[in-house]
Amino acid sequence: MSTTRTHRRSVITEAVAPWSKVAQLLRGGGESGTLIPVIIPRSTRRLWWMLPLWLGLFALLSGVMLSLRAADSGVVGDFAYGTAAALSYTAGVLFLLIGALWWWRSSIVEIEQGTNGVLTRYGAVTRTLDAGRHYLWHPWSRVDFVVDTATEIPYSAPVMACPTRENVPLRAIEFFLKFRITDAVLFVRAIGAGNFDLVLSSAVQDAIRQRARIISTERAYDLRGSDVADMQQLLNRQLDRYGVRITGCNIPDVQLPAQYQQHLATRERVAKERTAYEQEWGLTRKRRIDSLGMDIERAKKVRDARIVEVKASLNKAREQVAQLLEEQETNAQRVRFEIETRGRSGLISAQNESRAQHALAKAYRDNRAILQYELARRRLEVGAELATKAPQPLVVRTDAAGGTDTSALSTLLAARLLPQVTAAPEGRGEVRALRQYFDGDGEGAE
């Protein structure tokens, strides 16, 4: 909340002062905070220095006249006129020296550092004088103005009853700027210090009122310390024709109307309470964060301990699993050896049995061959015996060429003799044995 205080507007003016007070007025200003960028020096330069010169010339002319008069007079007159002429010459020389020294001393002008002097002749501006010592030999040359062109002059211009966008007049808006005179001749010829104060005050008030018109009353306090670069550019465009440059400006303070003071106080109180609450919450949050950090550290330690225990249990389980695997591998190796032993035993038994079967089969084949031989021999014997006991067939050859007998007579004889042959006991036994042998693949014969 802004404090109520009396705002004073700066006043820019010019002052008439002797050369001895120029520096004091330019640097310290005048009374009641008056800004004095321009000094009109009170000139002490008069034409009295010409009187000794004229007197010296008159004395010299008088000495010449007395010298001429002494030449025309006698001895006594010559001495008297010579003495008077010598005194006239002496007085003329002294007066001329005094006049010259007086002229030299009155022509010296010393310009203060950081200022410029405006030199005039017969009232017309001729040029500017820089800081330092200058000699004004012309009798009618003089420094009419000493202008401060190096100092940035501060200027305060409070604007009273400035309306906002809602047409609510603010109590005051304080505007502060710094300006510097860039062209001394243009400044003193175009406007002057007194008129410049009015022009600058009017320009500042117009700029402030335009800025206040675009904001609401609730946000009027935001004007403090706001960016006023556009206002500075506007003022520079208006004051450039006077040889003045605005080097910086800002709004240091804004006073709201009375009806908004209580609202502003409440707002600031709420802001302070909010700040206090934020600080308290920050401390509470910090304590909670620290507590959570400690809990996290403890949890990490517990986790690390459990990880160690789990790793130990895992290593133990791995050892047990390795031992179990080793036992299982040993059992498997033993079972494998037993199986291999039983397999080898079975293989040997099978090989022995195979050899025995092979030998048996070989013996069986040999016996079969013997049996077949015996059967064939018995067949031959039976056949031979049958052949001896069989009746002689009657062969009727009808074909002298030796062809097959297919006559009806031979067929009839064969049909009648065959039952007789088969009816004999020996013949029937042999035929039955042969039939059993061939039907049972030799088993019945064995």
Side-chain angles (χ1 to χ4, degrees):
M1 182 176 178
S2 61
T3 58
T4 303
R5 57 182 180 180
T6 302
H7 298 278
R8 292 184 179 181
R9 187 180 71 85
S10 300
V11 179
I12 302 174
T13 185
E14 57 189 16
V16 180
W19 283 99
S20 60
K21 293 185 177 181
V22 170
Q24 178 183 356
L25 292 175
L26 289 177
R27 297 295 181 263
E31 297 179 357
S32 301
T34 303
L35 304 177
I36 303 177
V38 179
I39 300 294
I40 301 175
R42 186 181 294 114
S43 178
T44 58
R45 189 180 187 189
R46 299 291 184 268
L47 298 179
W48 295 107
W49 56 270
M50 298 183 67
L51 180 61
L53 293 178
W54 286 114
L55 290 175
L57 291 175
F58 178 75
L60 291 177
L61 290 176
S62 298
V64 171
M65 294 298 296
L66 291 172
S67 297
L68 294 176
R69 187 63 181 271
D72 296 337
S73 62
V75 177
V76 177
D78 187 12
F79 177 77
Y81 284 117
T83 303
L87 293 175
S88 298
Y89 283 130
T90 303
V93 171
L94 290 175
F95 281 123
L96 288 177
L97 289 175
I98 293 172
L101 290 174
W102 197 348
W103 182 20
W104 171 76
R105 183 65 186 87
S106 63
S107 64
I108 296 176
V109 175
E110 294 181 353
I111 305 300
E112 186 70 20
Q113 183 66 34
T115 61
N116 284 26
V118 180
L119 181 65
T120 61
R121 182 177 297 173
Y122 302 110
V125 177
T126 57
R127 62 189 179 93
T128 59
L129 300 178
D130 297 330
R133 174 174 289 187
H134 301 272
Y135 295 95
L136 307 180
W137 300 112
H138 196 279
W140 283 271
S141 294
R142 58 186 298 175
V143 178
D144 285 342
F145 303 97
V146 177
V147 183
D148 189 353
T149 57
T151 305
E152 292 183 351
I153 303 172
Y155 181 82
S156 178
V159 182
M160 314 301 293
C162 186
T164 60
R165 186 170 58 189
E166 294 87 359
N167 205 23
V168 176
L170 301 176
R171 182 181 298 179
I173 298 178
E174 184 177 355
F175 188 76
F176 177 80
L177 61 86
K178 295 183 295 183
F179 69 91
R180 186 170 62 88
I181 300 173
T182 58
D183 192 335
V185 176
L186 185 61
F187 182 77
V188 297
R189 289 179 59 184
I191 188 169
N195 296 330
F196 178 72
D197 179 66
L198 297 176
V199 171
L200 181 59
S201 177
S202 299
V204 167
Q205 291 207 15
D206 291 341
I208 289 294
R209 292 181 188 278
Q210 290 179 9
R211 173 60 64 88
R213 275 292 184 182
I214 64 177
I215 64 170
S216 61
T217 307
E218 292 291 335
R219 301 186 59 186
Y221 217 59
D222 296 338
L223 287 174
R224 296 186 305 175
S226 60
D227 186 11
V228 291
D230 54 342
M231 297 175 62
Q232 182 176 346
Q233 294 177 1
L234 176 62
L235 292 175
N236 280 326
R237 286 195 297 269
Q238 295 178 1
L239 302 178
D240 188 58
R241 65 174 69 97
Y242 305 125
V244 177
R245 183 72 178 174
I246 304 297
T247 59
C249 56
N250 65 347
I251 301 176
D253 189 21
V254 176
Q255 289 189 4
L256 299 178
Q259 58 267 28
Y260 287 98
Q261 294 295 328
Q262 185 177 0
H263 170 69
L264 185 60
T266 304
R267 182 179 175 183
E268 291 189 357
R269 179 175 56 81
V270 171
K272 291 179 180 178
E273 292 178 356
R274 178 183 177 184
T275 303
Y277 176 75
E278 288 179 353
Q279 292 177 355
E280 183 180 359
W281 168 245
L283 294 175
T284 304
R285 182 171 175 268
K286 186 175 182 302
R287 287 196 298 269
R288 291 182 179 179
I289 291 175
D290 294 339
S291 177
L292 289 175
M294 294 176 64
D295 293 341
I296 290 172
E297 292 296 330
R298 286 196 295 268
K300 286 182 178 180
K301 292 180 180 179
V302 172
R303 184 197 62 184
D304 294 339
R306 290 184 178 179
I307 288 174
V308 172
E309 293 178 358
V310 169
K311 287 183 178 180
S313 301
L314 183 60
N315 294 331
K316 185 176 181 181
R318 286 176 180 174
E319 291 178 358
Q320 293 178 357
V321 169
Q323 184 177 0
L324 181 60
L325 289 176
E326 186 176 357
E327 292 177 358
Q328 293 292 332
E329 186 177 359
T330 304
N331 294 331
Q333 187 74 15
R334 181 176 53 80
V335 171
R336 184 169 62 84
F337 288 158
E338 291 178 357
I339 292 173
E340 289 179 356
T341 303
R342 288 196 298 269
R344 290 193 186 95
S345 300
L347 179 62
I348 293 172
S349 300
Q351 288 177 355
N352 294 331
E353 186 177 358
S354 175
R355 290 191 187 95
Q357 292 291 335
H358 181 69
L360 183 60
K362 186 176 180 181
Y364 178 77
R365 284 196 302 270
D366 295 341
N367 293 332
R368 186 176 181 180
I370 294 171
L371 289 174
Q372 288 178 357
Y373 173 74
E374 291 293 333
L375 180 60
R377 188 177 60 79
R378 293 282 298 276
R379 285 177 183 175
L380 291 176
E381 291 178 355
V382 171
E385 186 178 355
L386 289 176
T388 57
K389 296 179 178 182
Q392 295 292 327
L394 178 64
V395 178
V396 181
R397 297 182 179 272
T398 63
D399 190 2
T404 304
D405 189 5
T406 58
S407 63
L409 180 60
S410 60
T411 303
L412 181 62
L413 291 175
R416 294 186 64 182
L417 292 175
L418 184 60
Q420 295 177 2
V421 173
T422 59
E426 297 86 355
R428 287 196 298 269
E430 294 293 336
V431 171
R432 189 180 299 111
L434 291 173
R435 184 179 297 170
Q436 291 177 357
Y437 177 78
F438 286 109
D439 291 338
D441 197 11
E443 295 179 358
E446 293 177 358

